[in-house]
Amino acid sequence: MKFTIQKEEIIKSLKKINVLLGTRTDLPILSNILVFIKENYLFLTSTNLEIEITTKTYLKLPFQEGKTTVPGKKFLDICRSFPKKENLIIFQKENKIIITSKKIFFSLITLPHKNFPIFPNELKKKKLIFLFQKKF
C-alpha cells in the first residue's frame, strides 16, 4: 500500500472517524483505524463495535492498493504535525506504516487488517445511513 495525499484532506477525514476510538479498551484493534485503498479511493474506517464510520477520499496522485490498520489518534497527531499545504507520502513496509514528507519521517506499528471488526454486509444493507456534506 502506498499513496500521496495533501495534509488537509487526510486531517479532515481522520477528525471525522476518530470520535469512535477508545483509549482504554480490552481489544487493541479498537484503537486502530482501517486504512484501505481501492480503485482511486482512500477509505478510513473506525468502529466501537456498535457504530462504524467510514470516510471516502478520492486520490488524485499515484497510489498502490492495500489494506492495514494503524493507531488512529497517533496517526491523526502525526499528520497534524506536518507543515500546512504539505503532501504526505504514506506507505506500508512490512508491519509498519511510514508517513513522510521532504525531511520529516514517522513510523507506526500496524496490526493485521484481518483482525479489524467489520459489520456484515447484510447489516449494512438494512441499517445503513448515508450523510453527505456539501463544500461551501
Side-chain angles (χ1 to χ4, degrees):
M1 178 181 72
K2 182 177 183 176
F3 64 99
T4 303
I5 191 166
Q6 193 173 22
K7 174 191 170 180
E8 288 79 16
E9 287 183 43
I10 197 160
I11 293 287
K12 185 170 42 170
S13 294
L14 287 170
K15 282 181 180 179
K16 290 176 185 174
I17 65 168
N18 262 290
V19 296
L20 292 183
L21 298 178
T23 52
R24 295 182 181 201
T25 177
D26 293 336
L27 300 171
I29 197 76
L30 294 180
S31 301
N32 282 21
I33 59 171
L34 178 66
V35 180
F36 175 40
I37 300 172
K38 187 175 181 182
E39 299 174 2
N40 283 69
Y41 286 97
L42 167 67
F43 297 92
L44 301 174
T45 302
S46 68
T47 186
N48 64 5
L49 296 180
E50 292 178 4
I51 300 171
E52 179 181 292
I53 298 177
T54 301
T55 63
K56 179 179 173 181
T57 306
Y58 181 75
L59 295 173
K60 301 168 193 154
L61 299 169
F63 66 92
Q64 290 176 355
E65 291 185 355
K67 195 185 268 192
T68 191
T69 69
V70 295
K73 293 194 184 292
K74 189 66 77 177
F75 190 46
L76 175 60
D77 291 342
I78 287 171
C79 290
R80 280 182 174 154
S81 69
F82 284 88
K84 288 184 180 182
K85 298 187 179 183
E86 193 75 28
N87 280 339
L88 306 182
I89 301 165
I90 301 169
F91 62 95
Q92 186 175 6
K93 186 176 182 181
E94 296 172 10
N95 65 339
K96 294 182 181 181
I97 195 160
I98 311 298
I99 306 130
T100 185
S101 177
K102 296 183 182 175
K103 296 181 182 179
I104 303 171
F105 175 91
F106 288 97
S107 175
L108 284 172
I109 298 292
T110 63
L111 291 175
H113 66 85
K114 294 174 184 172
N115 296 344
F116 193 83
I118 297 289
F119 290 165
N121 284 335
E122 300 83 43
L123 281 177
K124 288 182 182 181
K125 290 177 185 174
K126 293 178 182 175
K127 300 178 182 179
L128 190 62
I129 299 172
F130 289 99
L131 301 173
F132 297 98
Q133 184 176 1
K134 286 187 174 182
K135 293 182 180 180
F136 294 98

